[in-house]
Amino acid sequence: MSFAFTLLHKDTSSRARLAEFHTSHGSVSTPVFMPVGTLATVKTLDPRELAEIGAQIILGNTYHLLLRPGREVFYKFGGIHQFMKWNKPLLTDSGGFQIFSLPKSRKITEEGALFQSYVEGDQHHLTPESSIEMQNAIGSDIMMVLDHCVSSIASYDETEAAMELTHRWAVRCLNTHKNQLTKIEHPSAASALFSIVQGGVFEDLRRRSVDFLTQLPFDGFAIGGLAVGETKNEREDQTELVAGLLPESKPRYLMGVGTPVDLLEAIRRGIDMFDCIIPTKMAQQGNIYTSKGELKLAQSKYKMSDEKLDASCRCSTCEIFSRGYLHHLTKCREALGWRLLSIHNTFFYLNLMAEARAAIGKDGFLNFYKQKITEWSESPSEELSAEMGRDPSTIRHQRRPLMKST
């Protein structure tokens, strides 16, 4: 089945949208959060659990899957769906962000990116053409163009040059995608290609990027180059600007964002799709999201607590285990603790999206948004959302204080 997007309803109280898209592996209702399965696995969770807690679509990463297990493995197994036993839609990032995160071991040229493998230390050359070829081998339902990402604190000239290179690469990706649609070697091959709007925090560059990319026949549009060092206000301003410029007839994807507050802020600005490592990364640290705000389970005050993790939550972790036991697992760094908290956090994100879709359908998203913001205390992790969107270890050194520039 070819990719198709349908806008079902626009909230009258905000720019929030209710929509759905169709792929050969099923349909997806938006707004939607995509759990991150970088290496063909969402950390600690198996595909059956993901389906049970409401995941409609997950994300894989071309850069990492190219290095391990490699293209030949996906050809052998007939694509990632059969390989990991996930029978629902899957999106693959192109690898552009990961290349950005390797400033000391990569070289960017017009042709592509030359980088050193973190697995075996050998050299790889990722081009727009080879990125699309790899994503076809993976068999993703939605592919992303290869983009050149730079930090949000990069200069205007550097940001402009990266944007223009992204545009040239996008055209090459589109041409390769068209040519390879007739050479598919397994039935799970990708049926959609999204481009990525770049331009950093510069309004004129963002407008130019949208103008260029929307003239081409892409199936959807992502907003890239955010969650890489900008302030929260800058991120929201750029999201609102770009979402307002993109066509209503195609999906809008904000890459690598973010906390629950970030997601609601973006939905009310017209964004449809999200991905982020925060749910499982926070779980690994013993931090969870609840209907009343964030809890840090490593704190000693939870040692004797027989309360449920979140009395309002229906996930299996909350139905069975106490805060005291989960505190114990967290303090002991037991893998089970990470796993149980990942179930909860991921369910929390997916359920938040379901509630948002219901509110949009009733023209009540703005009231829903205000209610949630009131219920949640401001999360201590909010300031880390830019770092944790994809790989917190790679961009921490590039960040600046979280305050609006004057």
Side-chain angles (χ1 to χ4, degrees):
M1 178 180 184
S2 61
F3 183 87
F5 176 82
T6 304
L7 179 59
L8 301 174
H9 184 72
K10 294 171 62 177
D11 181 63
T12 58
S13 65
S14 69
R15 294 185 180 182
R17 296 149 38 108
L18 184 66
E20 63 182 11
F21 61 81
H22 305 277
T23 77
S24 60
H25 285 96
S27 299
V28 174
S29 297
T30 68
V32 64
F33 177 78
M34 301 180 287
V36 176
T38 300
L39 292 166
T41 174
V42 177
K43 299 292 187 185
T44 75
L45 304 179
D46 76 40
R48 293 168 299 179
E49 289 171 324
L50 287 166
E52 288 171 359
I53 63 177
Q56 301 181 77
I57 177 174
I58 63 174
L59 178 145
N61 185 271
T62 302
Y63 165 85
H64 290 287
L65 295 174
L66 170 67
L67 299 181
R68 188 167 50 196
R71 182 179 306 174
E72 294 76 14
V73 170
F74 291 109
Y75 283 139
K76 166 67 176 178
F77 282 86
I80 194 170
H81 295 84
Q82 182 62 25
F83 184 52
M84 67 177 292
K85 304 303 181 184
W86 172 253
N87 61 7
K88 293 188 175 187
L90 182 140
L91 178 149
T92 43
D93 197 355
S94 64
F97 176 82
Q98 285 65 39
I99 293 169
F100 153 74
S101 71
L102 302 169
K104 296 181 180 180
S105 57
R106 49 87 166 157
K107 180 180 180 181
I108 305 295
T109 68
E110 184 69 34
E111 183 61 21
L114 183 68
F115 62 92
Q116 184 178 21
S117 168
Y118 68 89
V119 177
E120 297 181 351
D122 53 332
Q123 293 290 316
H124 288 261
H125 193 203
L126 189 64
T127 67
E129 292 78 11
S130 64
S131 176
I132 296 299
E133 290 166 2
M134 182 61 198
Q135 291 182 78
N136 269 325
I138 293 169
S140 49
D141 298 279
I142 300 174
M143 303 191 300
M144 304 302 300
V145 301
L146 184 65
D147 62 327
H148 181 20
C149 181
V150 295
S151 169
S152 292
I153 61 175
S155 68
Y156 183 94
D157 289 346
E158 183 182 358
T159 303
E160 181 181 36
M163 178 196 72
E164 292 177 343
L165 182 58
T166 293
H167 292 172
R168 295 192 295 273
W169 283 1
V171 173
R172 289 165 59 186
C173 285
L174 188 61
N175 291 335
T176 303
H177 179 54
K178 290 179 180 178
N179 293 336
Q180 293 208 345
L181 284 177
T182 60
K183 303 176 183 179
I184 291 171
E185 299 195 23
H186 51 76
S188 61
S191 59
L193 179 65
F194 285 19
S195 63
I196 303 175
V197 176
Q198 289 289 354
V201 295
F202 303 103
E203 178 178 339
D204 64 318
L205 296 184
R206 289 287 181 178
R207 289 181 179 276
R208 282 169 52 189
S209 190
V210 171
D211 287 344
F212 180 87
L213 294 172
T214 54
Q215 299 302 311
L216 299 170
F218 289 105
D219 298 294
F221 299 94
I223 304 175
L226 294 178
V228 287
E230 76 286 345
T231 69
K232 183 176 184 294
N233 287 341
E234 286 172 330
R235 181 166 63 253
E236 291 171 358
D237 289 347
Q238 294 303 320
T239 298
E240 183 164 4
L241 170 69
V242 176
L245 296 172
L246 290 172
E248 290 192 345
S249 59
K250 295 185 178 181
R252 305 163 181 169
Y253 167 26
L254 181 59
M255 305 181 76
V257 177
T259 66
V261 172
D262 289 332
L263 268 59
L264 293 186
E265 292 288 0
I267 289 172
R268 76 185 183 100
R269 289 168 168 81
I271 298 299
D272 306 306
M273 302 169 64
F274 305 90
D275 78 279
C276 192
I277 66 168
I278 284 180
T280 54
K281 187 65 176 180
M282 293 290 283
Q284 184 182 23
Q285 300 170 357
N287 299 333
I288 63 137
Y289 294 101
T290 77
S291 56
K292 301 301 180 183
E294 186 184 333
L295 296 183
K296 293 181 174 293
L297 282 173
Q299 294 178 347
S300 59
K301 64 181 179 179
Y302 298 115
K303 182 175 182 178
M304 304 297 290
S305 176
D306 60 358
E307 292 182 72
K308 291 183 177 181
L309 199 55
D310 185 350
S312 300
C313 182
R314 306 185 311 278
C315 80
S316 58
T317 298
C318 289
E319 290 180 348
I320 299 173
F321 300 102
S322 68
R323 292 182 178 184
Y325 180 62
L326 296 167
H327 163 83
H328 165 70
L329 295 178
T330 297
K331 294 295 287 185
C332 295
R333 298 189 177 182
E334 281 290 336
L336 178 60
W338 183 7
R339 176 173 160 76
L340 293 176
L341 296 183
S342 291
I343 290 173
H344 169 80
N345 275 351
T346 305
F347 177 86
F348 181 89
Y349 269 65
L350 298 173
N351 188 62
L352 179 63
M353 295 297 98
E355 292 179 334
R357 292 192 296 269
I360 295 169
K362 298 176 182 178
D363 287 322
F365 181 80
L366 188 58
N367 286 336
F368 171 77
Y369 160 83
K370 292 177 179 178
Q371 176 187 345
K372 290 298 182 184
I373 297 300
T374 300
E375 290 176 353
W376 301 335
S377 58
E378 186 68 15
S379 168
S381 66
E382 188 73 19
E383 66 182 26
L384 299 178
S385 63
E387 294 181 2
M388 296 183 66
R390 299 176 191 172
D391 186 347
S393 66
T394 60
I395 61 175
R396 187 179 302 277
H397 65 283
Q398 299 183 11
R399 299 195 71 256
R400 55 185 170 185
L402 282 173
M403 54 190 299
K404 183 72 172 179
S405 298
T406 55

